[in-house]
Amino acid sequence: MDSVPLDKANNYSKEIIETRHRFIEEKTGVKLQHVNQYSFDPDTTKGNIENFIGVAQIPIGLAGPLQVNGEYAQGEFLIPLATAEGTLVASYNRGMRLINMCGGALTTISGNSMQRAPVFIFKNSRVARDFSHWVKEHYQEIKAACNSTTKIGRLIRIEQYLSNKFVFLRFNYTTGDAAGQNMVSKATFVGVQYILENFKDIDRFYMESNLATDKKASMINILSTRGKRVTAEVTIPGNLLQERMRTSVESLHYHFGIASVGGFVSGVNNNGLHAANGLTAMFIATGQDVANISESSTGIIYCEENPKDHLYISITLPSLIVASYGGGTGLATQRECQDILGCYGQDGVMKLAEIMAAAVLAGEISLAAAISSLDWIWSHERMGRNR
Amino acid sequence: MDSVPLDKANNYSKEIIETRHRFIEEKTGVKLQHVNQYSFDPDTTKGNIENFIGVAQIPIGLAGPLQVNGEYAQGEFLIPLATAEGTLVASYNRGMRLINMCGGALTTISGNSMQRAPVFIFKNSRVARDFSHWVKEHYQEIKAACNSTTKIGRLIRIEQYLSNKFVFLRFNYTTGDAAGQNMVSKATFVGVQYILENFKDIDRFYMESNLATDKKASMINILSTRGKRVTAEVTIPGNLLQERMRTSVESLHYHFGIASVGGFVSGVNNNGLHAANGLTAMFIATGQDVANISESSTGIIYCEENPKDHLYISITLPSLIVASYGGGTGLATQRECQDILGCYGQDGVMKLAEIMAAAVLAGEISLAAAISSLDWIWSHERMGRNR
Amino acid sequence: MDSVPLDKANNYSKEIIETRHRFIEEKTGVKLQHVNQYSFDPDTTKGNIENFIGVAQIPIGLAGPLQVNGEYAQGEFLIPLATAEGTLVASYNRGMRLINMCGGALTTISGNSMQRAPVFIFKNSRVARDFSHWVKEHYQEIKAACNSTTKIGRLIRIEQYLSNKFVFLRFNYTTGDAAGQNMVSKATFVGVQYILENFKDIDRFYMESNLATDKKASMINILSTRGKRVTAEVTIPGNLLQERMRTSVESLHYHFGIASVGGFVSGVNNNGLHAANGLTAMFIATGQDVANISESSTGIIYCEENPKDHLYISITLPSLIVASYGGGTGLATQRECQDILGCYGQDGVMKLAEIMAAAVLAGEISLAAAISSLDWIWSHERMGRNR
Amino acid sequence: MDSVPLDKANNYSKEIIETRHRFIEEKTGVKLQHVNQYSFDPDTTKGNIENFIGVAQIPIGLAGPLQVNGEYAQGEFLIPLATAEGTLVASYNRGMRLINMCGGALTTISGNSMQRAPVFIFKNSRVARDFSHWVKEHYQEIKAACNSTTKIGRLIRIEQYLSNKFVFLRFNYTTGDAAGQNMVSKATFVGVQYILENFKDIDRFYMESNLATDKKASMINILSTRGKRVTAEVTIPGNLLQERMRTSVESLHYHFGIASVGGFVSGVNNNGLHAANGLTAMFIATGQDVANISESSTGIIYCEENPKDHLYISITLPSLIVASYGGGTGLATQRECQDILGCYGQDGVMKLAEIMAAAVLAGEISLAAAISSLDWIWSHERMGRNR
């Protein structure tokens, strides 16, 4: 088969896109009737996609309002959720209503950094160890090199992990309102060049070797943060749980204990329930790099009965990777969803992170209550497809 | 703030959707111009979304052709990738061209099961242990109960995990062409009812407690499969690596060794590079439950120099959750993308799993080569946005 | 330096041992005065040690009695603990007294298997997958081959794990009263020979590749058991906690919740406190393979307030590797300690596993109470060394 | 049953020990003939044991000499190994001889710290986050408080891990020649008192909650070191592997690749083979806290063919907890074994850590070679017991 048609002069023109449509029809017999319908100028996708042929149309449902009591997000928010999974919007909505009745979710950001982690290989562990000292001593020079590449990204810390004859350097940056993976790649690359030029005994190096860990869930991200580390929490009176959710403080608290054991046994990266569901729907709607769900879906949930007959519940997302600028955030529908949340552009990213954490909390409460009250499956049956 | 407007009689009508648009404008000042443009009848999204307001338009780029030598997928395939991450399509394409030059990717499915894992709680561990024996003895009855709920889902195995005074039962099913989470929930629920009625000493139970592990990465999924367990592999001559990728067998093989160490140290759920990238783009395009990227992005990569001056590389995805029917697969653009792949509907799911694994392999080769040849960042700079 | 002196004719004679003592004195200047004092005939250590020079004398303290309500261990037991860590015996003793006041610890064994896990390597994943089917079809023949090597070991299950072009077979055996690592190695080796002779397309194999996982903590052992899977549990009235331990049900239960979060964040292999302490002391005393502490120290703890103002606490040891026969169990002091427990020899191993689990539980309660009541360090200060 | 006899005036006297012997005989019928034989004054075990009744006699075999090329350990060492596992000494010896033929093992220490990790609990995550900033601002005062308790321990770093409404502070110390667990407990306790007195909004705290992680294997210890982080490495010519070990560079290197995959799949805490074996034998011999095998047995192995037809192999032990002073190191036989190594007392601990790492490397080489050459089981059969 030929390659996908390309136009080096203007690869986003109506003509080349239509040529591709004919190519698809020729090769597969599929005549596009939906993928080829979109509301924006394809030129605006330059830098976001190659070989453009159209769009995936993902249904958006509106959840909320959700009361968020954050440091950046304050007030009620409507939450656009892009998903094809029946009951998801309804379930999150149910949790949001309950949170609102409790006065809203308190949100706090306690960490913020994006990483790139090159590895340096030496003749032996002795030289590796000496290199590790050298890096500490030359931190200021390395930092200057990294920061020279970007006005927004700032190197804040280099973590070191030594093993065998390797030194893994994990460069940590703040990245403004961008998620920042590209920004930190470029910055680290220049930092690495400084290192390569000034420490003579490096045998070889790779720009990445599983210490970042981009697009993957990991213990290092749980411990050391990737993107934003954000917590959402709420205290729910027992009577609300009974009236609204047909369950009890005791049952939800008990489930937390069991789920802690279950998560320990299964080696899961999230001892909660389904943070991935709400996050994915918000990521798609707001133009995030959805592949980061692999990291961002990690979560740490905690419950207690405190005060008496109240359920305190909180979730920490230790590696939430979000942006209010750059990447896909400025695309047509994505920007509108960012605007619905009031987050697009400068100074929006922390607000966005807080709203997302609060929404995730709503989903945890809703599903935990459903499990406790046994109506989980029935709700799927009622609202979901028949298979 | 009021709730999102609802019409109990017809919640997908033009009127109620427009009412919601006005509600958004009123509450947030955002006048939708893109989200509200879609090419299908909103009625078709019943069962997929609640509180419909429109769509997210995610750009699709066309990669391929990719030669797949599977048991279900045989031939050349064009791969629609829905993403907003610049260079992703180009990078996967580069890998696909190389795979084609090597004769295509061999793909093999070695596992297939979907789970639900209720937990049963007893007075003490002694009764729990006795229950565990009882379940083994009554497997046929439990199976009959489960299978009575579905023509497609078939219970194939109940794994047992005992801890403290708990027994976690992990019900494993085949689910035809659906991903099957709802199907197995319903089936397990009926199996659980049989259990609750026939084993008298159960104190309490929950339908889920982190042993499934739905929407989460976990060791149990790596070990015991969730969805499809599928491997893609190829052997690449060294001269192709040099000419096409500006790198070498030795450098890629060496990187695998370092990345194995790095992954061990960081506790990552994928010792490869970025399976999540390609999978997410295919998931969005083909109507998968994108939140399953949390599990599906898990991978096990392996390289060797074999035969001499050739790189053998393979990746196993132990928990790839896909469907060719049900969920979002039948929505307008999603169905078209399924059709481009020739997978929609009956008997398509295994083919789809094979194609996805082959595409993931292409992405691994491409990025690994880029890391080895140091042009990784530059390619982002050339084709990506400026932040 | 020369090699350690050896006497091929009789390597456990008084003469060769003394020759070694002179060799040590010559080479290091150390004149042994204690290592060379032991109460048994060195000949009895054949099969347990090579290059015998004497013994390590590890102090034994006596804890207990401990009331165990097991299926094998029933009654009060005195527990010999071999350790040099001050306060360990006192701390375990404190927990045992409390357990006794509650009527003893209930113990239950829910799993029992020892493994060897060879890996088979194939041309590609397709052949690997076919091999996996072949093994299932030839299970009876493989089992017969394995069981032909031992009267005691019985193959009970072959687990399969497929990845890339590899099939890891995890052979599970019961091994009577022995820990059984050597027994299952021999048995598996013969099973492997059957496989190698009858499945033609195997490229290579190794007898071990990290799926067993001998002498290492692992998720697979938590999930699938290695050695004995045993639980000990007790319910403690709140007034006893207050009077005897200066703490409360609430404080201990609360700590369990925090420790669950802490363990999740740190990626620990035991969400309890210090099972390794008591187990190591019992392992040394009773002639276990102490290196198995790496696996055996894994534990799953769980607490709840149930009934009101009572603390239910239990610990499951999923990979406790013990023997009442074979290995070091028959050596002079080791056998005496086995006899103190009434476990030596035939039918003793299950009893021993139950006693050990109950003793571990005592240690968990004691330290958890000390942490809660803040006197932990002070107790170290009072009874421990000054550094 | 009565409690174990106690003499508050002199609990290590001949009389009380004999009273205990009679107690054992009365209660269990066991007349001690070996446990009660030891070569030292029981008074010397004060601070090491309570309720002393005698000793476990663990056979010691002498391995070596082993050439270590460390920064602290330089030259040939004889290694006392206390074990009851047949073939262990022989197997390690085989590896040592090979290392010697290659010029010895290079050893490097790249990390050194001992931890205690209290957790602080707050009203909500906002206060927790503010506390985290406060701790950074008051590091000097906290450090002064900690260091006031010990002349030897020095606080070097406080790591912070935030989750939910908790702040886990991981205090890192250097501890001279002691392992230091007690030292850092006391120091941290005083640091905690400073914190409790000066930050007003703490709800509650516990001195430990699974972030240390004492007596347990964990990811945090792999990443952040506990005790010593030490690497041993050697390069072995292919002809030596063939002549001495009946295997090849290729086979061992290939096995490393497979074992990396196997370890990833099984979730093991050591991608090598059996570090626990040698470490446990050295720990028992030299008076270490043997329960620390749970942490210390963690390892990171790496192999490559470099230069051509040579096997480079190294192992990093990221959490090796050892002492040359304090704990059990000064007991009778233990001290003699420390003296054989030339490590006892001041400035011995780094030397000891290096020797241990080198010995572990010898064991890895030996067993890896045995697996590769298939003679592993036969060697057990020849030298081991018959079950």
PDB file of all heavy atoms in Angstrom, chain C residues 349-361:
ATOM      1  N   VAL C 349       5.018 -29.246  60.823  1.00  0.00           N
ATOM      2  CA  VAL C 349       5.241 -27.983  60.130  1.00  0.00           C
ATOM      3  C   VAL C 349       4.030 -27.047  60.192  1.00  0.00           C
ATOM      4  O   VAL C 349       4.180 -25.832  60.326  1.00  0.00           O
ATOM      5  CB  VAL C 349       5.703 -28.232  58.674  1.00  0.00           C
ATOM      6  CG1 VAL C 349       4.572 -28.759  57.801  1.00  0.00           C
ATOM      7  CG2 VAL C 349       6.299 -26.974  58.089  1.00  0.00           C
ATOM      8  N   MET C 350       2.840 -27.618  60.108  1.00  0.00           N
ATOM      9  CA  MET C 350       1.637 -26.771  60.137  1.00  0.00           C
ATOM     10  C   MET C 350       1.475 -26.155  61.532  1.00  0.00           C
ATOM     11  O   MET C 350       1.115 -24.980  61.674  1.00  0.00           O
ATOM     12  CB  MET C 350       0.402 -27.593  59.764  1.00  0.00           C
ATOM     13  CG  MET C 350       0.483 -28.249  58.397  1.00  0.00           C
ATOM     14  SD  MET C 350       0.607 -27.076  57.013  1.00  0.00           S
ATOM     15  CE  MET C 350      -1.102 -27.109  56.444  1.00  0.00           C
ATOM     16  N   LYS C 351       1.749 -26.970  62.533  1.00  0.00           N
ATOM     17  CA  LYS C 351       1.716 -26.483  63.910  1.00  0.00           C
ATOM     18  C   LYS C 351       2.708 -25.333  64.089  1.00  0.00           C
ATOM     19  O   LYS C 351       2.394 -24.289  64.667  1.00  0.00           O
ATOM     20  CB  LYS C 351       2.075 -27.656  64.832  1.00  0.00           C
ATOM     21  CG  LYS C 351       1.961 -27.379  66.306  1.00  0.00           C
ATOM     22  CD  LYS C 351       2.324 -28.658  67.084  1.00  0.00           C
ATOM     23  CE  LYS C 351       2.342 -28.431  68.584  1.00  0.00           C
ATOM     24  NZ  LYS C 351       2.799 -29.664  69.290  1.00  0.00           N
ATOM     25  N   LEU C 352       3.893 -25.530  63.559  1.00  0.00           N
ATOM     26  CA  LEU C 352       4.936 -24.512  63.677  1.00  0.00           C
ATOM     27  C   LEU C 352       4.500 -23.218  62.990  1.00  0.00           C
ATOM     28  O   LEU C 352       4.687 -22.116  63.527  1.00  0.00           O
ATOM     29  CB  LEU C 352       6.233 -25.042  63.055  1.00  0.00           C
ATOM     30  CG  LEU C 352       7.470 -24.171  63.201  1.00  0.00           C
ATOM     31  CD1 LEU C 352       7.797 -23.903  64.664  1.00  0.00           C
ATOM     32  CD2 LEU C 352       8.671 -24.829  62.503  1.00  0.00           C
ATOM     33  N   ALA C 353       3.912 -23.356  61.813  1.00  0.00           N
ATOM     34  CA  ALA C 353       3.459 -22.162  61.078  1.00  0.00           C
ATOM     35  C   ALA C 353       2.410 -21.410  61.882  1.00  0.00           C
ATOM     36  O   ALA C 353       2.422 -20.173  61.946  1.00  0.00           O
ATOM     37  CB  ALA C 353       2.905 -22.576  59.715  1.00  0.00           C
ATOM     38  N   GLU C 354       1.516 -22.134  62.509  1.00  0.00           N
ATOM     39  CA  GLU C 354       0.475 -21.482  63.310  1.00  0.00           C
ATOM     40  C   GLU C 354       1.069 -20.764  64.529  1.00  0.00           C
ATOM     41  O   GLU C 354       0.689 -19.626  64.831  1.00  0.00           O
ATOM     42  CB  GLU C 354      -0.570 -22.511  63.761  1.00  0.00           C
ATOM     43  CG  GLU C 354      -1.434 -23.020  62.609  1.00  0.00           C
ATOM     44  CD  GLU C 354      -2.629 -23.835  63.085  1.00  0.00           C
ATOM     45  OE1 GLU C 354      -2.528 -24.492  64.147  1.00  0.00           O
ATOM     46  OE2 GLU C 354      -3.655 -23.824  62.392  1.00  0.00           O
ATOM     47  N   ILE C 355       1.994 -21.415  65.200  1.00  0.00           N
ATOM     48  CA  ILE C 355       2.619 -20.780  66.373  1.00  0.00           C
ATOM     49  C   ILE C 355       3.348 -19.509  65.953  1.00  0.00           C
ATOM     50  O   ILE C 355       3.261 -18.462  66.607  1.00  0.00           O
ATOM     51  CB  ILE C 355       3.595 -21.761  67.069  1.00  0.00           C
ATOM     52  CG1 ILE C 355       2.826 -22.950  67.655  1.00  0.00           C
ATOM     53  CG2 ILE C 355       4.399 -21.041  68.159  1.00  0.00           C
ATOM     54  CD1 ILE C 355       3.728 -24.092  68.126  1.00  0.00           C
ATOM     55  N   MET C 356       4.063 -19.606  64.846  1.00  0.00           N
ATOM     56  CA  MET C 356       4.816 -18.430  64.389  1.00  0.00           C
ATOM     57  C   MET C 356       3.887 -17.260  64.065  1.00  0.00           C
ATOM     58  O   MET C 356       4.165 -16.116  64.415  1.00  0.00           O
ATOM     59  CB  MET C 356       5.663 -18.796  63.170  1.00  0.00           C
ATOM     60  CG  MET C 356       6.901 -19.605  63.535  1.00  0.00           C
ATOM     61  SD  MET C 356       7.971 -19.806  62.089  1.00  0.00           S
ATOM     62  CE  MET C 356       9.346 -20.725  62.811  1.00  0.00           C
ATOM     63  N   ALA C 357       2.784 -17.557  63.405  1.00  0.00           N
ATOM     64  CA  ALA C 357       1.848 -16.479  63.061  1.00  0.00           C
ATOM     65  C   ALA C 357       1.284 -15.843  64.326  1.00  0.00           C
ATOM     66  O   ALA C 357       1.156 -14.613  64.417  1.00  0.00           O
ATOM     67  CB  ALA C 357       0.731 -17.025  62.180  1.00  0.00           C
ATOM     68  N   ALA C 358       0.963 -16.671  65.306  1.00  0.00           N
ATOM     69  CA  ALA C 358       0.417 -16.131  66.554  1.00  0.00           C
ATOM     70  C   ALA C 358       1.460 -15.259  67.256  1.00  0.00           C
ATOM     71  O   ALA C 358       1.135 -14.193  67.794  1.00  0.00           O
ATOM     72  CB  ALA C 358      -0.020 -17.282  67.460  1.00  0.00           C
ATOM     73  N   ALA C 359       2.705 -15.701  67.239  1.00  0.00           N
ATOM     74  CA  ALA C 359       3.763 -14.911  67.876  1.00  0.00           C
ATOM     75  C   ALA C 359       3.968 -13.583  67.139  1.00  0.00           C
ATOM     76  O   ALA C 359       4.161 -12.533  67.759  1.00  0.00           O
ATOM     77  CB  ALA C 359       5.071 -15.709  67.909  1.00  0.00           C
ATOM     78  N   VAL C 360       3.913 -13.643  65.810  1.00  0.00           N
ATOM     79  CA  VAL C 360       4.028 -12.409  65.030  1.00  0.00           C
ATOM     80  C   VAL C 360       2.920 -11.431  65.416  1.00  0.00           C
ATOM     81  O   VAL C 360       3.155 -10.236  65.601  1.00  0.00           O
ATOM     82  CB  VAL C 360       3.986 -12.715  63.511  1.00  0.00           C
ATOM     83  CG1 VAL C 360       3.704 -11.451  62.699  1.00  0.00           C
ATOM     84  CG2 VAL C 360       5.310 -13.347  63.080  1.00  0.00           C
ATOM     85  N   LEU C 361       1.723 -11.943  65.556  1.00  0.00           N
ATOM     86  CA  LEU C 361       0.594 -11.097  65.952  1.00  0.00           C
ATOM     87  C   LEU C 361       0.872 -10.423  67.300  1.00  0.00           C
ATOM     88  O   LEU C 361       0.581  -9.223  67.478  1.00  0.00           O
ATOM     89  CB  LEU C 361      -0.689 -11.928  66.024  1.00  0.00           C
ATOM     90  CG  LEU C 361      -1.964 -11.169  66.391  1.00  0.00           C
ATOM     91  CD1 LEU C 361      -2.332 -10.151  65.312  1.00  0.00           C
ATOM     92  CD2 LEU C 361      -3.137 -12.128  66.621  1.00  0.00           C
TER      93      LEU C 361
END
